[in-house]
Amino acid sequence: MSSIETVKSNLFTKAFTPNPYPAYTQLRNEEPVARVLLPDGQYAWMITRYEDALEALKNQKFIKDYRKLYEEDDSDYGSVFSENMLFADMPDHRRLRGLVSKAFTPQMIACMRDRIQEITDELLDEIADKKTVNLIDAFAFPLPIIVICEMLGIPTKDRDDFRIWSNSMIEGSNGAYAQDIQKHMQDFIQYLRDRFETVKKNPGEDLISKLIVAEEQGDQLTEKELYGVVSLLIIAGHETTVNFIGNSIMALIENPDQLALLKDQPDLIKSAIEETLRFNDPVEYSTSRWASEDMVFKDQAMKKGDLVIVILNAANHDPSQFENPDQLDITREKSKHLAFGKGIHACLGAPLARLEGEIVIASFFKRYPNAQLNINKEDLEWRTGMIVRGVRELPLLLN
């Protein structure tokens, strides 16, 4: 087996996950659009160069609605993933995105600053007397789930259930947890059914209430789309941010010169956020796209129905776009990283994620300027699956 074939065969192994960047460099140099066997037995074209990735993310010949190519899945499980803007093409995408976009404008998100700061301070107060902490459980997970639950009108007492459900769906992308996914999806859908019935009887000002009103008015949102949009907001609204917070704090701790610079110049927080997103993107791979027709893309002959995936972290470390890409540099000029995607499917929640990151990271290091890893880096356990990139636990020594 050739060197590049060995790299491709190791892409989804546990040993590969802690440091995938050397392999991504080899793929960019030798086979930037590579046909790779996925853990579920499918083949996919994996794209690693920045310019190629940018073109693929914007190219509407790569479609998101797989039902245009394959037999439609009418099950509840299938509909939760397919009936939302993430897996819609124009014009449905514009309609679905428009229903929720007003809640995620920079202006609306800015109004949430005080509440996010309040939640952050409360969570930091809860660990104030501790010398060690698992940052994921104590801080990185609770904050975004509280925020998205409040936006959607979901009781925060249910947030632990959402962790179980979202973990199952996210990590199930490696094909190893089919039974767990089915069970957790059934529980999740039943929860949403019950929640929707409650809200219909007593709607409020939350986003779920507004979406249900739209669905009841008829021509804007179908019942399946209601499930799809809400499930997407719940999962995407917190899952990636958990890993964003963990990855960013870990990156700064591991680069003490950059952390010292941020402490000395707190106004660098915005560029620090962009750089940590680029440096260790919490979303490893783009969501799936399919070739809508036989086509040639970057000298590769693709067949109609071929699966296409962008490796976002590979593109974000492309030296043709980023000088010294494997170096964390919070003074880097305005970054054109792909952490939030590009094109019509660029992340709707990017303004919220940026604000949460800005508040959380600044507040954490103000309270705990000398925090250190309380574990050997090689002993960290990374999450599995083909969507998020992050550690299961982040043990820290706080003082």
Side-chain angles (χ1 to χ4, degrees):
M1 182 181 293
S2 67
S3 175
I4 194 66
E5 291 301 320
T6 299
V7 167
K8 287 157 57 174
S9 67
N10 288 335
L11 277 178
F12 310 107
T13 62
K14 189 173 182 179
F16 169 83
T17 307
N19 183 21
Y21 299 107
Y24 291 160
T25 296
Q26 188 172 350
L27 282 169
R28 278 195 311 269
N29 292 339
E30 298 182 34
E31 198 172 341
V33 181
R35 193 165 183 262
V36 175
L37 181 63
L38 304 182
D40 63 4
Q42 295 186 84
Y43 278 93
W45 294 102
M46 309 290 281
I47 299 171
T48 50
R49 286 182 182 168
Y50 181 91
E51 289 296 336
D52 298 347
L54 189 63
E55 184 175 338
L57 293 171
K58 292 182 175 182
N59 190 338
Q60 293 189 38
K61 288 184 179 180
F62 294 134
I63 61 175
K64 300 284 286 179
D65 189 349
Y66 67 90
R67 295 167 302 174
K68 295 176 180 176
L69 301 166
Y70 304 109
E71 183 177 350
E72 181 172 353
D73 183 353
D74 287 326
S75 68
D76 282 341
Y77 173 72
S79 68
V80 164
F81 285 100
S82 61
E83 300 286 343
N84 62 60
M85 56 202 164
L86 191 61
F87 294 101
D89 302 305
M90 290 295 193
D92 286 338
H93 175 270
R94 182 184 295 111
R95 175 176 58 86
L96 292 169
R97 190 177 178 107
L99 287 168
V100 295
S101 61
K102 293 180 181 178
F104 288 90
T105 64
Q107 294 82 6
M108 292 296 294
I109 297 303
C111 293
M112 300 176 64
R113 176 178 287 276
D114 290 346
R115 177 57 183 146
I116 294 172
Q117 184 68 65
E118 182 181 15
I119 296 168
T120 299
D121 291 340
E122 289 172 356
L123 291 171
L124 289 173
D125 287 344
E126 289 178 10
I127 62 174
D129 296 330
K130 298 182 179 180
K131 293 184 178 179
T132 62
V133 69
N134 170 15
L135 192 79
I136 302 299
D137 284 346
F139 191 52
F141 170 76
L143 185 134
I145 194 63
I146 292 171
V147 171
I148 199 65
C149 280
E150 290 187 356
M151 290 181 69
L152 293 169
I154 294 172
T156 53
K157 65 180 177 62
D158 297 328
R159 67 191 187 211
D160 287 337
D161 288 331
F162 284 115
R163 184 174 197 180
I164 294 171
W165 296 330
S166 62
N167 275 349
S168 179
M169 286 180 275
I170 292 290
E171 300 195 2
S173 62
N174 69 1
Y177 303 103
Q179 284 188 320
D180 287 343
I181 293 174
Q182 292 288 350
K183 173 63 168 64
H184 293 155
M185 283 303 304
Q186 290 169 3
D187 293 343
F188 182 48
I189 291 168
Q190 186 59 54
Y191 177 90
L192 291 183
R193 284 197 182 106
D194 295 342
R195 187 65 196 161
F196 292 164
E197 287 303 311
T198 299
V199 172
K200 285 179 181 179
K201 295 174 184 176
N202 187 25
E205 293 301 315
D206 57 87
L207 188 50
I208 284 182
S209 295
K210 292 176 181 177
L211 290 170
I212 284 176
V213 169
E215 185 262 331
E216 291 183 334
Q217 287 176 346
D219 60 355
Q220 295 187 61
L221 195 68
T222 68
E223 182 179 4
K224 278 190 174 182
E225 287 170 345
L226 177 61
Y227 281 97
V229 170
V230 172
S231 63
L232 174 64
L233 291 172
I234 291 170
I235 296 167
H238 86 275
E239 189 71 44
T240 55
T241 308
V242 172
N243 295 286
F244 167 33
I245 293 170
N247 291 358
S248 296
I249 288 177
M250 181 165 59
L252 287 163
I253 287 174
E254 292 182 316
N255 291 270
D257 60 324
Q258 297 300 296
L259 181 54
L261 185 59
L262 181 59
K263 292 173 187 175
D264 291 341
Q265 301 181 48
D267 59 329
L268 287 173
I269 185 62
K270 290 185 183 296
S271 63
I273 292 300
E274 299 306 314
E275 177 65 352
T276 57
L277 282 164
R278 182 204 67 81
F279 184 73
N280 209 2
D281 187 349
V283 181
E284 188 84 31
Y285 302 98
S286 72
T287 49
S288 300
R289 288 161 169 78
W290 289 267
S292 62
E293 60 187 47
D294 290 353
M295 60 191 293
V296 175
F297 181 82
K298 305 304 173 184
D299 298 326
Q300 295 285 11
M302 297 182 178
K303 298 293 186 181
K304 180 179 179 180
D306 277 2
L307 178 59
V308 178
I309 296 174
V310 173
I311 305 182
L312 298 170
N313 266 317
N316 284 337
H317 281 247
D318 188 338
S320 71
Q321 180 67 31
F322 306 99
E323 185 177 357
N324 298 320
D326 296 329
Q327 176 180 323
L328 185 73
D329 179 6
I330 66 170
T331 67
R332 194 181 294 275
E333 292 296 319
K334 187 175 181 180
S335 178
K336 297 180 180 179
H337 65 73
L338 302 181
F340 293 119
K342 290 290 182 182
I344 65 171
H345 292 284
C347 179
L348 184 65
L352 176 60
R354 283 185 165 105
L355 179 61
E356 288 177 319
E358 178 184 335
I359 291 171
V360 163
I361 291 168
S363 299
F364 176 81
F365 284 115
K366 184 177 180 180
R367 189 84 66 101
Y368 298 107
N370 300 313
Q372 296 291 323
L373 281 178
N374 196 31
I375 189 174
N376 292 326
K377 185 180 178 182
E378 54 270 21
D379 293 330
L380 289 168
E381 183 180 359
W382 290 81
R383 298 181 62 182
T384 58
M386 280 189 56
I387 301 176
V388 298
R389 174 169 176 77
V391 293
R392 292 184 183 279
E393 297 183 350
L394 186 58
L396 295 183
L397 184 65
L398 296 178
N399 296 301

